[in-house]
Amino acid sequence: MTRPTALTSPSSADAHQAEARHQRIGFGFALGAAALFSLTGGVVKLGLDAGVGVETLMLWRMGLALPVYLAVGGRLWVGRRRAGGEPTPRRVLLAAAGLGVLSYYVCSWLDFTGLRFITAQLERMILFTYPALTAVLAWLLTGQRFTRRHAAALGVAYAGVLLVFGSERQAFGPGVAWGVGLVFAAALLFALYVIYAKPVIGRMGPAGFTCVAMTAATVAIVTHQAVRRHAVGEPLASAVSVEAVVAGAVLAVGCTVLPSFMLSAAIGRIGPQRASAAGNVGPVVTTVLAVWLLGEPFGVAQAAGLALILVGVGLVAKRG
């Protein structure tokens, strides 16, 4: 008599279901992080429309987020000391601090200031092209391979940006060019940040790097505010208003702290490439919210531009 065999044992079926659930949760975290990050432009626009300055928004955003990162960083430091780990070299800490100032301070200032002149939709589209810029800069600075696919991705993505830029310039005037230039500078510097942050993150780990980078950026922003307000004779207390605190709290918690931890959880479950692919929902989320909450126009130019940018960045992601 032949013993019947089961194609799948109960234990392996349970393991398969558990892994599938693990993956679904990871994708959920990745999509949620991308959506929350994409709220930034809309919240900044609402704050600017309410009369809150760019530097004030940055101050509240970083100031309210900083305690969380300090708590996480302190816990990591204590855990490392108890485990007998070697201290992080000073040059690595300084590199993390410098990269944090570049990304969370300089790039944020350029991005937030650019939003004074362009729509949140165009801002997010420009920022979304940073993977293509990263490929170009990696080729120029580190000698990494630059392929025809990269060139096509760059051309398609910026064709989309130019299409939306032309539509907005016709509708809102020459100030749009200034806003596009500022946000493009932010995207370019962020691409540099991505290239040079990778080895530093490898030495410190993502959580430790983020804590040091956020702390350094917050110190830079507070110093900027103090110097600027002293120069114009404006008291620091004038930065306190209901609009500033609310916008800053949403930026800190909803657009910074929560998505950063959600993205880390997603990467841990499904890996960095699949987690990054979920970021494609970002411009779509921004467009929906910008049209719904801010009343921004959305026509053929915006739809075609968004489609071209998604295709262009998709080419880079597929190559990577």
Side-chain angles (χ1 to χ4, degrees):
M1 179 181 293
T2 303
R3 180 186 298 177
T5 58
L7 294 177
T8 306
S9 65
S11 59
S12 62
D14 292 342
H16 179 74
Q17 292 178 357
E19 177 61 22
R21 182 174 181 273
H22 187 78
Q23 296 282 319
R24 287 196 299 271
I25 293 174
F27 275 113
F29 279 138
L31 291 171
L36 289 174
F37 277 133
S38 299
L39 293 175
T40 304
V43 175
V44 171
K45 290 287 283 186
L46 289 173
L48 293 173
D49 291 344
V52 183
V54 168
E55 292 84 1
T56 301
L57 287 171
M58 293 173 60
L59 179 65
W60 280 107
R61 176 199 185 191
M62 301 298 287
L64 293 175
L66 180 62
V68 178
Y69 291 109
L70 286 177
V72 173
R75 185 175 179 181
L76 290 172
W77 182 80
V78 170
R80 188 168 184 173
R81 288 291 299 271
R82 288 178 177 175
E86 295 183 359
T88 304
R90 182 177 297 179
R91 61 183 178 83
V92 177
L93 290 173
L94 290 175
L99 288 165
V101 172
L102 174 66
S103 175
Y104 294 107
Y105 172 47
V106 178
C107 290
S108 293
W109 184 85
L110 290 169
D111 180 34
F112 287 13
T113 304
L115 274 165
R116 295 171 55 191
F117 306 97
I118 62 176
T119 63
Q121 297 175 74
L122 181 54
E123 176 260 359
R124 185 55 47 178
M125 291 179 188
I126 297 170
L127 289 182
F128 191 63
T129 63
Y130 86 86
L133 290 175
T134 302
V136 174
L137 292 176
W139 169 55
L140 293 174
L141 299 174
T142 67
Q144 292 187 22
R145 189 182 178 192
F146 187 76
T147 66
R148 291 180 179 178
R149 184 187 294 273
H150 286 135
L154 195 67
V156 171
Y158 279 99
V161 171
L162 288 173
L163 187 62
V164 181
F165 165 69
S167 175
E168 290 204 7
R169 192 177 188 279
Q170 185 176 8
F172 304 119
V176 172
W178 176 240
V180 167
L182 289 170
V183 178
F184 176 79
L188 187 65
L189 291 177
F190 188 75
L192 281 174
Y193 162 83
V194 170
I195 293 171
Y196 289 110
K198 185 177 180 179
V200 183
I201 293 173
R203 293 289 302 274
M204 299 181 63
F209 172 83
T210 301
C211 294
V212 173
M214 288 288 291
T215 301
T218 303
V219 171
I221 290 169
V222 171
T223 303
H224 180 175
Q225 273 282 65
V227 171
R228 185 186 69 83
R229 288 177 177 273
H230 177 74
V232 299
E234 185 179 359
L236 191 60
S238 63
V240 180
S241 67
V242 174
E243 294 82 4
V245 174
V246 171
V250 174
L251 286 171
V253 178
C255 304
T256 305
V257 174
L258 282 179
S260 67
F261 286 116
M262 291 172 70
L263 184 58
S264 297
I267 291 172
R269 288 173 178 267
I270 62 176
Q273 289 185 340
R274 298 169 79 184
S276 297
N280 287 341
V281 305
V284 178
V285 171
T286 299
T287 297
V288 171
L289 292 176
V291 174
W292 178 43
L293 290 178
L294 301 174
E296 292 183 359
F298 183 78
V300 175
Q302 285 78 13
L306 179 60
L308 287 172
I309 291 167
L310 290 174
V311 170
V313 175
L315 287 172
V316 177
K318 185 176 181 181
R319 181 69 185 182

